Amino acid sequence: MSKTRILSGIQPSGTIHIGNYFGMIKKMIESQDDGELFAFIASYHALTSVKDSEFLKRNTFEAAVNFLALGMDPVKSTFWVQSDVPEVLELYWILSNHTSMGLLERAHSYKDKTARGLATNHGLFSYPVLMAADILLFDSNIVPVGKDQIQHVEMTRDIAQSFNNHYGEILVIPEAKVDEVVATVPGTDGAKMSKSYGNTIDMFGVPKVIKKQVMGIVTDSTDLNEPKEWENCNIYAISKLFMSNDELLDLQKRYATPGEGYGHFKMTLLEKINNYFAPYEEKRNELLNHPTMVKDMLSDGARKARTIAREKMRVIKDAVGLSY
Ligand code: ADP
Ligand code: TRP
């Protein structure tokens, strides 16, 4: 029996924070043991919001370096940059003709952006069709996504059903996989950690910046000489990601014992964060210093992905009549 094919994409959106890591990247890396992982940097999708070419180039490269440093295995998995496999745009056009306007008009992400008065364009409107093409081009079975992306996978299923109803069982109907267990990682102010809220703790940042972010975690103003509550404390909530149960019990005792302040707990957390990411940092620096090596890995990934994409497009083009 062939292995389950897991596919996921991530937009090259710049600095990554610990919310991205625990919410998404870590799971993607771990899924390499559950099936055949196909993962890509969604550079075409990024064009819907990024108009600065240097920014896009740099972030595409850095996103690749980050994933490789964090454990993406380019031999075991297929890892590429979306725009290196342009077949996806051929499928995007074909699928566009099986996507009703009503379906796209109902997309939450598009509706949210128009409601906020942002300038919209056709790329943004048709974003879900490109995402459907990403998924369907590789016969993906499982698409691990965050809650905000579930609707896009449902739209992919609708588009694929409509295509199959017309041309026969050609496209594999994918399933979204949402991890309900991983709660949203809280930011330094207790709200969802997000770069748009300015409440992040970065993963691979300048040490001084990370220290400032940790020191900026919002707490109440209980005095040094009073016991403190860990239950609703933002420092404790973030510490949970980095500490074992024993370490957490020890931290709870320190909260209950007068004499230490929140500054001390922040320093403990900072040290934990630094130790946690230090091995990855080393690998990351090595990759940053060897860009040709990274580019070669991405080219190999694109070659592997393209072989599959070309064969699938041959079948699809024949089915719709684009061969003669
Ligand atoms: P941001 O909110 O900082 O702009 P993105 O929307 O670019 O982050 O998210 C990239 C990935 O990281 C998505 O898969 C998203 O689900 C995940 N992610 C982002 N923030 C968090 C968080 N605070 N907790 C869990 N997962 C998160
Ligand atoms: N839209 C996804 C996001 O913003 C990224 C993405 C693009 C994707 N194509 C995909 C995710 C295909 C899963 C499968 O997070």
Side-chain angles (χ1 to χ4, degrees), residues 188-234:
T188 52
D189 57 358
K192 173 193 181 271
M193 185 176 287
S194 169
K195 55 182 174 299
S196 35
Y197 302 155
N199 63 356
T200 61
I201 297 176
D202 296 340
M203 269 187 62
F204 294 129
V206 183
K208 248 171 62 188
V209 174
I210 298 183
K211 182 168 180 192
K212 196 164 164 228
Q213 291 170 330
V214 173
M215 289 306 172
I217 297 176
V218 179
T219 61
D220 61 30
S221 50
T222 313
D223 191 77
L224 202 72
N225 296 315
E226 282 179 57
K228 292 158 203 68
E229 281 183 9
W230 54 270
E231 282 92 341
N232 294 313
C233 179
N234 293 327

mmCIF file of all heavy atoms in Angstrom, residues 188-234:
data_model
loop_
_atom_site.group_PDB
_atom_site.id
_atom_site.type_symbol
_atom_site.label_atom_id
_atom_site.label_comp_id
_atom_site.label_asym_id
_atom_site.label_seq_id
_atom_site.Cartn_x
_atom_site.Cartn_y
_atom_site.Cartn_z
ATOM 1 N N THR A 188 3.373 37.708 24.533
ATOM 2 C CA THR A 188 3.901 38.312 25.759
ATOM 3 C C THR A 188 2.831 39.093 26.536
ATOM 4 O O THR A 188 3.016 39.414 27.699
ATOM 5 C CB THR A 188 5.077 39.252 25.439
ATOM 6 O OG1 THR A 188 4.647 40.171 24.425
ATOM 7 C CG2 THR A 188 6.289 38.488 24.931
ATOM 8 N N ASP A 189 1.711 39.387 25.848
ATOM 9 C CA ASP A 189 0.626 40.093 26.542
ATOM 10 C C ASP A 189 -0.552 39.164 26.852
ATOM 11 O O ASP A 189 -1.610 39.601 27.284
ATOM 12 C CB ASP A 189 0.126 41.257 25.678
ATOM 13 C CG ASP A 189 -0.326 40.777 24.308
ATOM 14 O OD1 ASP A 189 -0.210 39.554 24.019
ATOM 15 O OD2 ASP A 189 -0.809 41.610 23.510
ATOM 16 N N GLY A 190 -0.383 37.876 26.569
ATOM 17 C CA GLY A 190 -1.438 36.908 26.877
ATOM 18 C C GLY A 190 -2.395 36.658 25.715
ATOM 19 O O GLY A 190 -3.081 35.647 25.687
ATOM 20 N N ALA A 191 -2.436 37.565 24.721
ATOM 21 C CA ALA A 191 -3.285 37.322 23.533
ATOM 22 C C ALA A 191 -2.543 36.355 22.611
ATOM 23 O O ALA A 191 -1.383 36.029 22.860
ATOM 24 C CB ALA A 191 -3.533 38.637 22.813
ATOM 25 N N LYS A 192 -3.198 35.869 21.536
ATOM 26 C CA LYS A 192 -2.526 34.960 20.594
ATOM 27 C C LYS A 192 -1.227 35.601 20.113
ATOM 28 O O LYS A 192 -1.224 36.770 19.719
ATOM 29 C CB LYS A 192 -3.444 34.699 19.396
ATOM 30 C CG LYS A 192 -2.793 33.906 18.284
ATOM 31 C CD LYS A 192 -3.642 33.948 17.002
ATOM 32 C CE LYS A 192 -3.038 33.147 15.877
ATOM 33 N NZ LYS A 192 -2.119 33.743 14.984
ATOM 34 N N MET A 193 -0.143 34.833 20.162
ATOM 35 C CA MET A 193 1.114 35.386 19.664
ATOM 36 C C MET A 193 1.007 35.572 18.154
ATOM 37 O O MET A 193 0.647 34.650 17.431
ATOM 38 C CB MET A 193 2.286 34.439 19.993
ATOM 39 C CG MET A 193 3.626 35.027 19.616
ATOM 40 S SD MET A 193 5.049 34.006 20.082
ATOM 41 C CE MET A 193 5.103 34.203 21.833
ATOM 42 N N SER A 194 1.277 36.776 17.686
ATOM 43 C CA SER A 194 1.192 37.037 16.248
ATOM 44 C C SER A 194 2.051 38.241 15.894
ATOM 45 O O SER A 194 2.100 39.205 16.658
ATOM 46 C CB SER A 194 -0.265 37.332 15.866
ATOM 47 O OG SER A 194 -0.314 37.830 14.542
ATOM 48 N N LYS A 195 2.719 38.140 14.721
ATOM 49 C CA LYS A 195 3.588 39.277 14.406
ATOM 50 C C LYS A 195 2.769 40.552 14.202
ATOM 51 O O LYS A 195 3.264 41.644 14.432
ATOM 52 C CB LYS A 195 4.522 38.996 13.231
ATOM 53 C CG LYS A 195 3.872 38.557 11.962
ATOM 54 C CD LYS A 195 4.943 38.273 10.925
ATOM 55 C CE LYS A 195 4.336 37.697 9.668
ATOM 56 N NZ LYS A 195 3.628 36.411 9.876
ATOM 57 N N SER A 196 1.487 40.388 13.830
ATOM 58 C CA SER A 196 0.699 41.612 13.646
ATOM 59 C C SER A 196 0.289 42.256 14.979
ATOM 60 O O SER A 196 -0.168 43.392 14.977
ATOM 61 C CB SER A 196 -0.510 41.350 12.749
ATOM 62 O OG SER A 196 -1.006 40.071 12.959
ATOM 63 N N TYR A 197 0.462 41.541 16.099
ATOM 64 C CA TYR A 197 0.114 42.157 17.394
ATOM 65 C C TYR A 197 1.356 42.673 18.133
ATOM 66 O O TYR A 197 1.229 43.215 19.233
ATOM 67 C CB TYR A 197 -0.592 41.161 18.324
ATOM 68 C CG TYR A 197 -1.858 40.561 17.779
ATOM 69 C CD1 TYR A 197 -2.315 39.327 18.235
ATOM 70 C CD2 TYR A 197 -2.616 41.223 16.818
ATOM 71 C CE1 TYR A 197 -3.476 38.757 17.732
ATOM 72 C CE2 TYR A 197 -3.777 40.657 16.315
ATOM 73 C CZ TYR A 197 -4.197 39.421 16.775
ATOM 74 O OH TYR A 197 -5.332 38.855 16.280
ATOM 75 N N GLY A 198 2.557 42.431 17.575
ATOM 76 C CA GLY A 198 3.779 42.896 18.246
ATOM 77 C C GLY A 198 3.974 42.275 19.619
ATOM 78 O O GLY A 198 4.525 42.909 20.516
ATOM 79 N N ASN A 199 3.524 41.038 19.807
ATOM 80 C CA ASN A 199 3.660 40.385 21.125
ATOM 81 C C ASN A 199 4.434 39.071 21.019
ATOM 82 O O ASN A 199 4.174 38.126 21.745
ATOM 83 C CB ASN A 199 2.267 40.137 21.717
ATOM 84 C CG ASN A 199 1.450 39.188 20.848
ATOM 85 O OD1 ASN A 199 1.891 38.765 19.777
ATOM 86 N ND2 ASN A 199 0.280 38.827 21.320
ATOM 87 N N THR A 200 5.377 39.040 20.068
ATOM 88 C CA THR A 200 6.066 37.768 19.801
ATOM 89 C C THR A 200 7.359 37.607 20.594
ATOM 90 O O THR A 200 7.933 38.586 21.071
ATOM 91 C CB THR A 200 6.461 37.663 18.308
ATOM 92 O OG1 THR A 200 7.349 38.739 18.001
ATOM 93 C CG2 THR A 200 5.258 37.743 17.400
ATOM 94 N N ILE A 201 7.798 36.359 20.684
ATOM 95 C CA ILE A 201 9.167 36.058 21.095
ATOM 96 C C ILE A 201 9.759 35.344 19.889
ATOM 97 O O ILE A 201 9.254 34.296 19.459
ATOM 98 C CB ILE A 201 9.199 35.152 22.346
ATOM 99 C CG1 ILE A 201 8.551 35.896 23.528
ATOM 100 C CG2 ILE A 201 10.642 34.752 22.681
ATOM 101 C CD1 ILE A 201 8.445 35.068 24.799
ATOM 102 N N ASP A 202 10.768 35.967 19.293
ATOM 103 C CA ASP A 202 11.326 35.417 18.061
ATOM 104 C C ASP A 202 12.197 34.201 18.357
ATOM 105 O O ASP A 202 12.733 34.063 19.448
ATOM 106 C CB ASP A 202 12.152 36.483 17.331
ATOM 107 C CG ASP A 202 11.273 37.642 16.898
ATOM 108 O OD1 ASP A 202 10.043 37.444 16.815
ATOM 109 O OD2 ASP A 202 11.798 38.738 16.662
ATOM 110 N N MET A 203 12.316 33.351 17.338
ATOM 111 C CA MET A 203 13.109 32.141 17.526
ATOM 112 C C MET A 203 14.562 32.357 17.222
ATOM 113 O O MET A 203 15.434 31.961 17.947
ATOM 114 C CB MET A 203 12.602 31.080 16.559
ATOM 115 C CG MET A 203 11.554 30.221 17.128
ATOM 116 S SD MET A 203 11.239 28.937 15.952
ATOM 117 C CE MET A 203 12.806 28.137 15.909
ATOM 118 N N PHE A 204 14.796 32.915 16.045
ATOM 119 C CA PHE A 204 16.183 33.109 15.618
ATOM 120 C C PHE A 204 16.428 34.596 15.547
ATOM 121 O O PHE A 204 16.455 35.174 14.488
ATOM 122 C CB PHE A 204 16.394 32.502 14.227
ATOM 123 C CG PHE A 204 16.264 31.012 14.187
ATOM 124 C CD1 PHE A 204 15.435 30.408 13.255
ATOM 125 C CD2 PHE A 204 16.993 30.199 15.048
ATOM 126 C CE1 PHE A 204 15.331 29.028 13.173
ATOM 127 C CE2 PHE A 204 16.892 28.818 14.983
ATOM 128 C CZ PHE A 204 16.057 28.233 14.049
ATOM 129 N N GLY A 205 16.565 35.211 16.665
ATOM 130 C CA GLY A 205 16.737 36.660 16.607
ATOM 131 C C GLY A 205 18.040 37.066 17.235
ATOM 132 O O GLY A 205 18.826 36.249 17.703
ATOM 133 N N VAL A 206 18.252 38.360 17.253
ATOM 134 C CA VAL A 206 19.417 38.916 17.946
ATOM 135 C C VAL A 206 19.159 38.666 19.442
ATOM 136 O O VAL A 206 18.076 38.981 19.936
ATOM 137 C CB VAL A 206 19.477 40.438 17.675
ATOM 138 C CG1 VAL A 206 20.716 41.055 18.301
ATOM 139 C CG2 VAL A 206 19.394 40.721 16.188
ATOM 140 N N PRO A 207 20.145 38.090 20.187
ATOM 141 C CA PRO A 207 19.910 37.764 21.607
ATOM 142 C C PRO A 207 19.325 38.927 22.406
ATOM 143 O O PRO A 207 18.445 38.736 23.235
ATOM 144 C CB PRO A 207 21.295 37.375 22.108
ATOM 145 C CG PRO A 207 22.020 36.889 20.903
ATOM 146 C CD PRO A 207 21.479 37.651 19.734
ATOM 147 N N LYS A 208 19.823 40.135 22.102
ATOM 148 C CA LYS A 208 19.337 41.303 22.851
ATOM 149 C C LYS A 208 17.831 41.530 22.627
ATOM 150 O O LYS A 208 17.108 41.901 23.546
ATOM 151 C CB LYS A 208 20.094 42.549 22.370
ATOM 152 C CG LYS A 208 20.999 43.080 23.470
ATOM 153 C CD LYS A 208 21.951 44.157 23.090
ATOM 154 C CE LYS A 208 21.568 45.478 22.602
ATOM 155 N NZ LYS A 208 22.765 46.232 22.126
ATOM 156 N N VAL A 209 17.409 41.287 21.391
ATOM 157 C CA VAL A 209 15.988 41.495 21.055
ATOM 158 C C VAL A 209 15.137 40.453 21.781
ATOM 159 O O VAL A 209 14.102 40.772 22.392
ATOM 160 C CB VAL A 209 15.758 41.407 19.519
ATOM 161 C CG1 VAL A 209 14.286 41.463 19.182
ATOM 162 C CG2 VAL A 209 16.530 42.515 18.819
ATOM 163 N N ILE A 210 15.595 39.207 21.757
ATOM 164 C CA ILE A 210 14.827 38.146 22.414
ATOM 165 C C ILE A 210 14.748 38.417 23.918
ATOM 166 O O ILE A 210 13.688 38.259 24.533
ATOM 167 C CB ILE A 210 15.450 36.762 22.109
ATOM 168 C CG1 ILE A 210 15.378 36.524 20.591
ATOM 169 C CG2 ILE A 210 14.734 35.648 22.873
ATOM 170 C CD1 ILE A 210 15.880 35.197 20.122
ATOM 171 N N LYS A 211 15.855 38.875 24.480
ATOM 172 C CA LYS A 211 15.851 39.187 25.911
ATOM 173 C C LYS A 211 14.817 40.290 26.202
ATOM 174 O O LYS A 211 14.033 40.200 27.152
ATOM 175 C CB LYS A 211 17.250 39.636 26.349
ATOM 176 C CG LYS A 211 17.332 39.919 27.823
ATOM 177 C CD LYS A 211 18.757 40.085 28.289
ATOM 178 C CE LYS A 211 18.744 40.360 29.793
ATOM 179 N NZ LYS A 211 20.027 40.794 30.292
ATOM 180 N N LYS A 212 14.805 41.280 25.343
ATOM 181 C CA LYS A 212 13.865 42.396 25.544
ATOM 182 C C LYS A 212 12.413 41.896 25.457
ATOM 183 O O LYS A 212 11.548 42.314 26.228
ATOM 184 C CB LYS A 212 14.134 43.456 24.461
ATOM 185 C CG LYS A 212 13.522 44.776 24.778
ATOM 186 C CD LYS A 212 14.104 45.896 23.924
ATOM 187 C CE LYS A 212 13.166 47.076 24.033
ATOM 188 N NZ LYS A 212 12.827 47.663 22.769
ATOM 189 N N GLN A 213 12.188 40.968 24.508
ATOM 190 C CA GLN A 213 10.828 40.442 24.349
ATOM 191 C C GLN A 213 10.412 39.661 25.603
ATOM 192 O O GLN A 213 9.294 39.814 26.093
ATOM 193 C CB GLN A 213 10.764 39.545 23.101
ATOM 194 C CG GLN A 213 10.923 40.342 21.809
ATOM 195 C CD GLN A 213 11.096 39.453 20.585
ATOM 196 O OE1 GLN A 213 11.628 38.345 20.661
ATOM 197 N NE2 GLN A 213 10.659 39.947 19.431
ATOM 198 N N VAL A 214 11.336 38.829 26.114
ATOM 199 C CA VAL A 214 11.002 38.032 27.305
ATOM 200 C C VAL A 214 10.805 38.959 28.512
ATOM 201 O O VAL A 214 9.849 38.804 29.280
ATOM 202 C CB VAL A 214 12.104 36.969 27.587
ATOM 203 C CG1 VAL A 214 11.858 36.261 28.910
ATOM 204 C CG2 VAL A 214 12.143 35.943 26.454
ATOM 205 N N MET A 215 11.688 39.931 28.637
ATOM 206 C CA MET A 215 11.566 40.861 29.764
ATOM 207 C C MET A 215 10.281 41.700 29.664
ATOM 208 O O MET A 215 9.807 42.245 30.652
ATOM 209 C CB MET A 215 12.794 41.783 29.826
ATOM 210 C CG MET A 215 14.039 41.041 30.276
ATOM 211 S SD MET A 215 13.694 40.214 31.842
ATOM 212 C CE MET A 215 15.079 39.234 32.131
ATOM 213 N N GLY A 216 9.746 41.779 28.445
ATOM 214 C CA GLY A 216 8.530 42.576 28.234
ATOM 215 C C GLY A 216 7.246 41.796 28.491
ATOM 216 O O GLY A 216 6.142 42.327 28.304
ATOM 217 N N ILE A 217 7.351 40.542 28.930
ATOM 218 C CA ILE A 217 6.134 39.757 29.201
ATOM 219 C C ILE A 217 5.324 40.480 30.285
ATOM 220 O O ILE A 217 5.868 40.899 31.311
ATOM 221 C CB ILE A 217 6.479 38.316 29.661
ATOM 222 C CG1 ILE A 217 7.213 37.572 28.535
ATOM 223 C CG2 ILE A 217 5.214 37.559 30.062
ATOM 224 C CD1 ILE A 217 7.691 36.169 28.923
ATOM 225 N N VAL A 218 4.051 40.633 30.015
ATOM 226 C CA VAL A 218 3.190 41.400 30.921
ATOM 227 C C VAL A 218 2.808 40.557 32.149
ATOM 228 O O VAL A 218 2.383 39.408 32.014
ATOM 229 C CB VAL A 218 1.902 41.839 30.170
ATOM 230 C CG1 VAL A 218 0.976 42.607 31.093
ATOM 231 C CG2 VAL A 218 2.266 42.686 28.949
ATOM 232 N N THR A 219 2.983 41.144 33.329
ATOM 233 C CA THR A 219 2.599 40.453 34.576
ATOM 234 C C THR A 219 1.809 41.429 35.442
ATOM 235 O O THR A 219 1.720 42.612 35.115
ATOM 236 C CB THR A 219 3.848 40.025 35.391
ATOM 237 O OG1 THR A 219 4.581 41.213 35.745
ATOM 238 C CG2 THR A 219 4.744 39.086 34.625
ATOM 239 N N ASP A 220 1.301 40.918 36.579
ATOM 240 C CA ASP A 220 0.688 41.856 37.531
ATOM 241 C C ASP A 220 1.824 42.476 38.353
ATOM 242 O O ASP A 220 2.997 42.238 38.071
ATOM 243 C CB ASP A 220 -0.365 41.146 38.403
ATOM 244 C CG ASP A 220 0.229 40.014 39.227
ATOM 245 O OD1 ASP A 220 1.416 40.111 39.594
ATOM 246 O OD2 ASP A 220 -0.489 39.030 39.507
ATOM 247 N N SER A 221 1.484 43.237 39.382
ATOM 248 C CA SER A 221 2.567 43.947 40.071
ATOM 249 C C SER A 221 2.776 43.441 41.500
ATOM 250 O O SER A 221 3.162 44.204 42.377
ATOM 251 C CB SER A 221 2.272 45.444 40.058
ATOM 252 O OG SER A 221 0.958 45.647 40.521
ATOM 253 N N THR A 222 2.518 42.134 41.705
ATOM 254 C CA THR A 222 2.732 41.562 43.044
ATOM 255 C C THR A 222 4.175 41.786 43.494
ATOM 256 O O THR A 222 5.117 41.604 42.718
ATOM 257 C CB THR A 222 2.437 40.039 43.025
ATOM 258 O OG1 THR A 222 1.204 39.832 42.351
ATOM 259 C CG2 THR A 222 2.353 39.477 44.438
ATOM 260 N N ASP A 223 4.330 42.180 44.741
ATOM 261 C CA ASP A 223 5.648 42.521 45.274
ATOM 262 C C ASP A 223 6.543 41.287 45.423
ATOM 263 O O ASP A 223 6.062 40.166 45.608
ATOM 264 C CB ASP A 223 5.444 43.190 46.646
ATOM 265 C CG ASP A 223 6.717 43.804 47.158
ATOM 266 O OD1 ASP A 223 7.069 44.889 46.664
ATOM 267 O OD2 ASP A 223 7.376 43.169 48.021
ATOM 268 N N LEU A 224 7.850 41.566 45.354
ATOM 269 C CA LEU A 224 8.873 40.531 45.512
ATOM 270 C C LEU A 224 8.648 39.671 46.756
ATOM 271 O O LEU A 224 8.852 38.456 46.747
ATOM 272 C CB LEU A 224 10.221 41.262 45.637
ATOM 273 C CG LEU A 224 11.493 40.536 45.321
ATOM 274 C CD1 LEU A 224 11.597 40.328 43.815
ATOM 275 C CD2 LEU A 224 12.695 41.373 45.780
ATOM 276 N N ASN A 225 8.200 40.308 47.832
ATOM 277 C CA ASN A 225 8.076 39.597 49.112
ATOM 278 C C ASN A 225 6.709 38.980 49.352
ATOM 279 O O ASN A 225 6.373 38.623 50.480
ATOM 280 C CB ASN A 225 8.445 40.538 50.260
ATOM 281 C CG ASN A 225 9.903 40.940 50.149
ATOM 282 O OD1 ASN A 225 10.748 40.082 49.909
ATOM 283 N ND2 ASN A 225 10.179 42.225 50.245
ATOM 284 N N GLU A 226 5.931 38.881 48.292
ATOM 285 C CA GLU A 226 4.620 38.225 48.431
ATOM 286 C C GLU A 226 4.585 36.993 47.539
ATOM 287 O O GLU A 226 5.241 36.972 46.492
ATOM 288 C CB GLU A 226 3.518 39.181 47.967
ATOM 289 C CG GLU A 226 3.168 40.250 48.981
ATOM 290 C CD GLU A 226 2.088 41.143 48.387
ATOM 291 O OE1 GLU A 226 1.026 40.613 48.016
ATOM 292 O OE2 GLU A 226 2.344 42.343 48.260
ATOM 293 N N PRO A 227 3.785 35.959 47.935
ATOM 294 C CA PRO A 227 3.634 34.805 47.033
ATOM 295 C C PRO A 227 2.893 35.233 45.754
ATOM 296 O O PRO A 227 2.079 36.155 45.801
ATOM 297 C CB PRO A 227 2.796 33.821 47.850
ATOM 298 C CG PRO A 227 2.273 34.552 49.015
ATOM 299 C CD PRO A 227 3.027 35.832 49.181
ATOM 300 N N LYS A 228 3.198 34.551 44.658
ATOM 301 C CA LYS A 228 2.571 34.928 43.389
ATOM 302 C C LYS A 228 1.763 33.769 42.804
ATOM 303 O O LYS A 228 2.034 32.619 43.124
ATOM 304 C CB LYS A 228 3.651 35.359 42.389
ATOM 305 C CG LYS A 228 4.295 36.648 42.797
ATOM 306 C CD LYS A 228 5.661 36.829 42.187
ATOM 307 C CE LYS A 228 6.449 37.796 43.027
ATOM 308 N NZ LYS A 228 6.790 37.243 44.364
ATOM 309 N N GLU A 229 0.806 34.115 41.961
ATOM 310 C CA GLU A 229 -0.036 33.062 41.349
ATOM 311 C C GLU A 229 0.513 32.699 39.984
ATOM 312 O O GLU A 229 0.732 33.574 39.148
ATOM 313 C CB GLU A 229 -1.457 33.593 41.176
ATOM 314 C CG GLU A 229 -2.233 33.554 42.462
ATOM 315 C CD GLU A 229 -3.672 34.033 42.248
ATOM 316 O OE1 GLU A 229 -4.080 34.227 41.089
ATOM 317 O OE2 GLU A 229 -4.339 34.202 43.267
ATOM 318 N N TRP A 230 0.728 31.410 39.778
ATOM 319 C CA TRP A 230 1.237 30.992 38.463
ATOM 320 C C TRP A 230 0.104 30.726 37.471
ATOM 321 O O TRP A 230 0.289 30.780 36.267
ATOM 322 C CB TRP A 230 2.116 29.742 38.598
ATOM 323 C CG TRP A 230 1.462 28.584 39.312
ATOM 324 C CD1 TRP A 230 1.508 28.341 40.654
ATOM 325 C CD2 TRP A 230 0.655 27.561 38.743
ATOM 326 N NE1 TRP A 230 0.780 27.215 40.955
ATOM 327 C CE2 TRP A 230 0.246 26.717 39.793
ATOM 328 C CE3 TRP A 230 0.246 27.258 37.432
ATOM 329 C CZ2 TRP A 230 -0.567 25.600 39.585
ATOM 330 C CZ3 TRP A 230 -0.564 26.153 37.212
ATOM 331 C CH2 TRP A 230 -0.962 25.335 38.289
ATOM 332 N N GLU A 231 -1.101 30.462 38.021
ATOM 333 C CA GLU A 231 -2.212 30.002 37.162
ATOM 334 C C GLU A 231 -2.479 30.911 35.959
ATOM 335 O O GLU A 231 -2.659 30.447 34.852
ATOM 336 C CB GLU A 231 -3.506 29.845 37.958
ATOM 337 C CG GLU A 231 -3.560 28.581 38.795
ATOM 338 C CD GLU A 231 -3.035 28.797 40.208
ATOM 339 O OE1 GLU A 231 -2.315 29.803 40.413
ATOM 340 O OE2 GLU A 231 -3.332 27.971 41.096
ATOM 341 N N ASN A 232 -2.526 32.196 36.198
ATOM 342 C CA ASN A 232 -2.863 33.089 35.078
ATOM 343 C C ASN A 232 -1.681 33.936 34.623
ATOM 344 O O ASN A 232 -1.865 34.975 34.006
ATOM 345 C CB ASN A 232 -4.020 34.012 35.484
ATOM 346 C CG ASN A 232 -5.277 33.216 35.714
ATOM 347 O OD1 ASN A 232 -5.632 32.362 34.896
ATOM 348 N ND2 ASN A 232 -5.927 33.441 36.851
ATOM 349 N N CYS A 233 -0.482 33.455 34.959
ATOM 350 C CA CYS A 233 0.697 34.269 34.654
ATOM 351 C C CYS A 233 1.212 33.980 33.237
ATOM 352 O O CYS A 233 1.383 32.824 32.847
ATOM 353 C CB CYS A 233 1.784 33.976 35.686
ATOM 354 S SG CYS A 233 3.281 34.905 35.369
ATOM 355 N N ASN A 234 1.459 35.039 32.475
ATOM 356 C CA ASN A 234 1.939 34.868 31.096
ATOM 357 C C ASN A 234 3.317 34.215 31.033
ATOM 358 O O ASN A 234 3.623 33.489 30.088
ATOM 359 C CB ASN A 234 1.996 36.218 30.370
ATOM 360 C CG ASN A 234 0.613 36.807 30.154
ATOM 361 O OD1 ASN A 234 -0.355 36.079 29.968
ATOM 362 N ND2 ASN A 234 0.506 38.129 30.197
#
